[in-house]
Amino acid sequence: DFQKIEYPKPDGKLTFDRLSSVFVSNTNHEENQPAHLTLKDATVPVRINLPKFAGPESRYCPAGVYEFVAAEGGGERLQINAQNCVHCKTCDIKDPTQNI
């Protein structure tokens, strides 16, 4: 029911893009490290959160860990980019279904 907020682009002096901020956080994940972010029920993001709350996972994470992408066969699926996680615990707090 609300309009999307259009934030100004990062200026590289006072504000920075997400990837630069993740790098500066000094959080390091190995490429083959098992994902530490798990879902209690993998169907909840698309079945409940996307239609009811417009997929808040893609907005509340400051590092852009969660994104909805096109699924094979149509529709969308939640992709978790765990390597970007900065361990802020926002997903534990903000997920409306407490599924993460």
Side-chain angles (χ1 to χ4, degrees):
D1 294 338
F2 297 93
Q3 291 183 357
K4 183 177 178 179
I5 299 171
E6 295 295 333
Y7 294 100
K9 299 291 181 206
D11 62 13
K13 295 177 184 172
L14 183 61
T15 58
F16 302 90
D17 63 274
R18 285 186 183 188
L19 288 178
S20 297
S21 297
V22 169
F23 175 76
V24 172
S25 76
N26 204 24
T27 305
N28 187 18
H29 298 96
E30 298 294 328
E31 283 296 318
N32 58 355
Q33 177 179 342
H36 64 285
L37 301 168
T38 58
L39 301 174
K40 292 176 186 172
D41 181 344
T43 67
V44 166
V46 173
R47 186 172 47 87
I48 297 173
N49 290 356
L50 192 58
K52 188 171 183 178
F53 304 109
E57 299 89 339
S58 63
R59 295 187 307 277
Y60 59 58
C61 178
V65 170
Y66 307 96
E67 65 179 321
F68 285 93
V69 297
E72 288 184 25
E76 293 184 89
R77 67 175 179 83
L78 181 67
Q79 177 171 297
I80 301 176
N81 303 306
Q83 69 276 8
N84 289 354
C85 182
V86 293
H87 304 279
C88 68
K89 303 292 184 206
T90 299
C91 55
D92 281 344
I93 298 164
K94 296 276 190 172
D95 187 53
T97 54
Q98 296 295 291
N99 189 48
I100 299 174

